[in-house]
Amino acid sequence: MRDQPDGADLLHIARAEFLREVQPILPEDLKYKALMIANAMAIAQRQFHGSSEMSAIEVRQITALLTDTPDDVHATLCQKIREGIFDPGSDNHCQMLDVLTSITLSRLAESNPKFLEKHADTLPNGAIPT
Amino acid sequence: MDIATQQKIADALAARTGAQSARVLECRLLTGGAIQQNWLFDLDFTGGSHAGRLNTVLRTNSASVLDVSLSRAQEFSLFQIAWEAGIKVPEPLWFLDSGTAMERPLFVMRRLVGTAAGHRLVRALPQGSPSLARDLGAELARIHSVRPPVVALGFLLEPGAAPALDEVRALRAALDAIRAPQPVVEWGIRWLEINAPGTETIVLCHNDYRTGNYMVDGEILTGILDWEFAAWGDPMQDIGWFTARCWRFGSDARVAGGIGALGDFMTGYVDVSGQSPDLANLRYWQVMATLRWAVIALAQGERHLSGTEPSLELALTRQIVPELEHDILTLTQEVPHARSA
């Protein structure tokens, strides 16, 4: 196990000090750029938590709906969607929609949790993942 | 842009206008878009057809150019057609081909008054602006009044019989160039394929008609910018793009570009065109818009990832894809369904 503070801690404190002490004194034309930098750091920070676990869950969910277990689960899934295997009326249409929704909610939790809070009730299984 | 290049351009323009000389008063980058650069380029001509001060915008290519967009020469032709049709665009002044003053081709247009920045505009109008929404609808109808064939627009591809399915094919081709598979985007494109509506009328589509791509002074529309994606197509494609949630800049309740109500926008449109396109297909074209933006955002992320153009802006654009996927899943739900698992 790594010594503390680790990468996640360093990123957290670096972002906090950057926003508190550096961003406010920047000239106007650099302030937006500074917010972009802080946003990128926030996304990276969130990705430190549980990203490998998330993709394992995702692969398991997708594999459960495919008839075989291919090497590249995502590519095979895309091919089957393109072929219409999961079109409305097909056996696994609703289950696939649930899986895709769950993937999207997980990604949003990392990329933009505020968006997720604002729009949480509009998806079929609109629960915010914990 | 170095001073020698600036002066070479000024000299070329002086020659075009019959001026004895032209002096560069100010030159600075306004927006370095992913595809084009816009430079503020103010000149002082001695003699000639434009004697005195002339405030312009110089438009040229960025380092990397997407092959889906029009060339600067073609865009200049479009500006000329639009200007002559009475559409609000910056007055196109001169085109300089590559090698004339710069390695890249460029054109110069008269600078408009106002601001284009989408976030700033939507924030500055907390109550929205019904009059601006109407004017934007009216202006779009003027663009859509240009119908094929137009000899000067011969470089635009002939319209196909089914524009929606042509778009589906183009989206798939673009998606196949992205290295990581994208199941939700794939799901959305399949939905577009099986739900494609027919198109009755083919018109000139701007194809990037959205808040952020027009200039506004107060609440007055001064001009439509960024014509590099224009093509013949279904008028609903522009309406879907303008009204898609992703182009409302956080003001989601104001469907017309974060600026006003759909009703105001369409009132302006119908005032000019005399008839409304079939809004029953609005959701379809909003899905199309969302997918188009998702595929562009993925492609921008690829440009960063490829190492040829490392850029925080490109990398962050890729991060908005989950929001677009959320919209795709929301809009393509046939009926709210019970969670099956």
Side-chain angles (χ1 to χ4, degrees), chain B residues 5 17 49 51 79 85 91 104 115 118 121 130 137 150 161 197 223 244 285 295 315 330 333:
Chain B
T5 306
T17 62
S49 58
F79 269 79
E91 182 189 358
R104 293 172 269 172
T115 180
L121 177 64
V150 176
W285 289 101
V295 169
T330 306
Q333 283 177 67

Side-chain angles (χ1 to χ4, degrees), chain B residues 12-288:
Chain B
L13 298 181
R16 279 290 172 87
T17 62
Q20 292 147 278
S21 64
R23 195 160 54 94
V24 180
L25 298 174
E26 194 178 350
C27 176
R28 63 182 159 87
L29 188 63
L30 288 172
T31 52
I35 303 154
Q36 271 82 46
Q37 293 176 347
N38 291 305
W39 294 79
L40 177 147
F41 196 64
D42 291 352
L43 295 156
D44 185 19
F45 287 99
T46 303
S49 58
H50 289 70
R53 185 181 179 117
L54 184 68
N55 296 339
T56 77
V57 170
L58 183 157
R59 190 160 160 83
T60 189
N61 299 335
S62 288
S64 66
V65 180
L66 287 183
D67 54 7
V68 292
S69 66
L70 299 177
S71 73
R72 299 289 64 74
Q74 293 167 340
E75 199 181 7
F76 186 71
S77 296
L78 261 168
F79 269 79
Q80 287 179 310
I81 297 279
W83 177 257
E84 283 157 19
I87 297 164
K88 285 182 180 167
V89 286
E91 182 189 358
L93 295 168
W94 305 287
F95 171 74
L96 298 181
D97 209 347
S98 51
T100 311
M102 274 179 96
E103 282 174 21
R104 293 172 269 172
L106 64 93
F107 68 86
V108 176
M109 53 193 154
R110 202 182 287 273
R111 195 163 77 242
L112 296 172
V113 179
T115 180
H119 279 114
R120 211 174 300 158
L121 177 64
V122 170
R123 261 203 314 271
L125 298 169
Q127 305 306 315
S129 171
S131 67
L132 180 57
R134 272 196 303 278
D135 289 349
L136 284 160
E139 213 53 40
L140 185 59
R142 281 188 196 99
I143 296 171
H144 289 172
S145 72
V146 179
R147 307 281 167 97
V150 176
V151 175
L153 298 180
F155 54 84
L156 296 181
L157 289 178
E158 288 284 318
L165 290 174
D166 290 345
E167 290 296 325
V168 166
R169 272 188 289 277
L171 286 172
R172 280 212 177 115
L175 186 59
D176 286 342
I178 308 297
R179 63 188 92 180
Q182 303 294 328
V184 179
V185 174
E186 198 74 66
W187 177 268
I189 295 176
R190 176 66 183 164
W191 186 90
L192 287 176
E193 185 174 49
I194 57 183
N195 289 286
T199 289
E200 286 175 13
T201 316
I202 298 284
V203 302
L204 179 63
C205 285
H206 179 283
N207 277 338
D208 204 3
Y209 196 85
R210 64 165 176 88
T211 297
N213 280 344
Y214 52 82
M215 295 281 280
V216 176
D217 184 22
E219 292 184 37
I220 307 296
L221 178 65
T222 56
I224 311 298
L225 309 174
D226 293 333
W227 289 71
E228 70 263 25
F229 296 110
W232 302 120
D234 190 307
M236 282 306 295
Q237 180 150 343
D238 274 336
I239 297 174
W241 187 252
F242 188 80
T243 60
R245 189 212 55 80
C246 51
W247 294 125
R248 296 181 204 157
F249 292 90
S251 181
D252 292 354
R254 286 198 287 275
V255 172
I259 296 297
L262 180 65
D264 289 324
F265 181 77
M266 291 313 298
T267 298
Y269 190 98
V270 173
D271 281 350
V272 170
S273 72
Q275 57 180 13
S276 170
D278 186 358
L279 289 181
N281 293 327
L282 182 63
R283 182 169 63 120
Y284 179 88
W285 289 101
Q286 287 176 336
V287 175
M288 176 73 83

Side-chain angles (χ1 to χ4, degrees), chain A residues 33 36-37 39-40 43 47 72 74-75 77-78 81-84 86-88 93-98 100-101 103-105 107-108 111-112 115 118-119 122-125, chain B residues 119 172 175-176 181-184 186-188 190-191 193-194 245 250-252 312-313 316 318-320 322-327 329-330 332-334 337-341:
Chain A
K33 185 82 166 204
M36 279 171 55
I37 292 168
N39 184 25
I43 294 170
Q47 288 190 351
D72 189 336
H74 289 89
L77 171 62
C78 285
I81 292 171
R82 193 175 289 199
E83 288 166 3
F86 298 107
D87 279 358
H93 173 76
C94 289
Q95 287 89 335
M96 183 49 69
L97 184 54
D98 285 343
L100 296 178
T101 301
I103 293 173
T104 300
L105 293 175
R107 292 191 180 165
L108 269 172
S111 68
N112 192 348
F115 180 95
K118 191 173 166 189
H119 298 274
T122 52
L123 277 178
N125 59 350
Chain B
H119 279 114
R172 280 212 177 115
L175 186 59
D176 286 342
Q182 303 294 328
V184 179
E186 198 74 66
W187 177 268
R190 176 66 183 164
W191 186 90
E193 185 174 49
I194 57 183
R245 189 212 55 80
S251 181
D252 292 354
L312 178 60
E313 188 179 5
L316 282 176
R318 171 66 182 78
Q319 297 294 323
I320 65 160
E323 293 160 42
L324 302 172
E325 291 180 336
H326 179 283
D327 289 349
L329 291 173
T330 306
T332 57
Q333 283 177 67
E334 298 306 310
H337 82 289
R339 181 157 167 69
S340 47

